[in-house]
Amino acid sequence: IARRDAPAARAALLTCRALLTDAAGPQPGTGGADAPYLTAVDAWTELERPYEAAYVREAWGLRLLAAGTAGGRTVLHEAIAAYQDIDAVWDVLRCQRGLRDHGQVTVRRPGALGYGDHLSPRERAVARLASLGLSNREIARELVLSHRTVEHHVARALRKLGVSSRTEIGSQLGP
């Protein structure tokens, strides 16, 4: 890739170097074992490729957990948040399994799994239809929900997205 305009190939090369650092150990003058991961994450982030950046964070977090180094849990939680932002459910589950495999178990209260500040899949579907200009009754008919349930989903979506009107939802949801 030398002398080529191939930013994704360069980011992939940085990712490979980070992953190979695990096998070879940190190289002198590279700033430690975390530097290659940071460089790869930055490269993917700059290219606006969130999945690849999250993948590098996941590998980095798992390496830190395996080595018993502080910060592995935090890095893996950052990967989980990034995967959740792009609705990569299987990747979130894989990261959570990695946390469990390394004894990083979080106790949660019984009941339905919450989405925190992220939209649930149903809230996202309702918000997308609301951003297209459908009324609550039309959304309820489309998704086979009650009118009242749609009202609740729209209200939560507005709050979570930090907007005050339905017309602003579309710009916050993204493509």
Side-chain angles (χ1 to χ4, degrees):
I1 61 174
R3 296 183 301 276
R4 301 265 190 242
D5 184 22
R10 284 192 225 322
L13 178 63
L14 292 169
T15 300
C16 290
R17 285 184 178 150
L19 295 172
L20 288 172
T21 299
D22 290 347
Q27 302 302 311
T30 60
D34 293 343
Y37 287 98
L38 286 168
T39 307
V41 168
D42 289 344
W44 288 118
T45 303
E46 187 176 308
L47 291 173
E48 297 180 11
R49 304 272 296 261
Y51 182 85
E52 289 82 355
Y55 172 80
V56 174
R57 283 190 192 282
E58 176 186 354
W60 180 18
L62 290 172
R63 181 191 64 79
L64 291 172
L65 284 175
T69 309
R73 181 184 174 117
T74 303
V75 173
L76 211 48
H77 277 289
E78 290 170 0
I80 289 171
Y83 282 138
Q84 286 174 334
D85 287 344
I86 57 175
D87 296 326
V89 176
W90 290 105
D91 300 290
V92 169
L93 295 172
R94 187 180 59 245
C95 288
Q96 290 171 339
R97 186 177 57 241
L99 283 168
R100 283 192 308 275
D101 289 348
H102 289 91
Q104 302 292 321
V105 182
T106 37
V107 178
R108 68 172 196 87
R109 60 181 173 73
L113 198 55
Y115 289 88
D117 292 336
H118 299 285
L119 293 178
S120 71
R122 181 61 83 185
E123 289 168 345
R124 182 172 294 282
V126 168
R128 190 162 309 284
L129 292 174
S131 73
L132 296 174
L134 274 68
S135 70
N136 286 353
R137 292 208 185 277
E138 292 169 326
I139 295 170
R141 229 183 346 263
E142 180 75 23
L143 298 177
V144 191
L145 297 171
S146 76
H147 175 263
R148 188 83 173 133
T149 300
V150 171
E151 285 178 7
H152 287 293
H153 285 317
V154 170
R156 279 195 299 272
L158 289 170
R159 180 183 50 78
K160 288 179 178 182
L161 293 172
V163 296
S164 57
S165 73
R166 296 164 75 106
T167 57
E168 299 174 60
I169 291 175
S171 63
Q172 295 298 313
L173 279 180

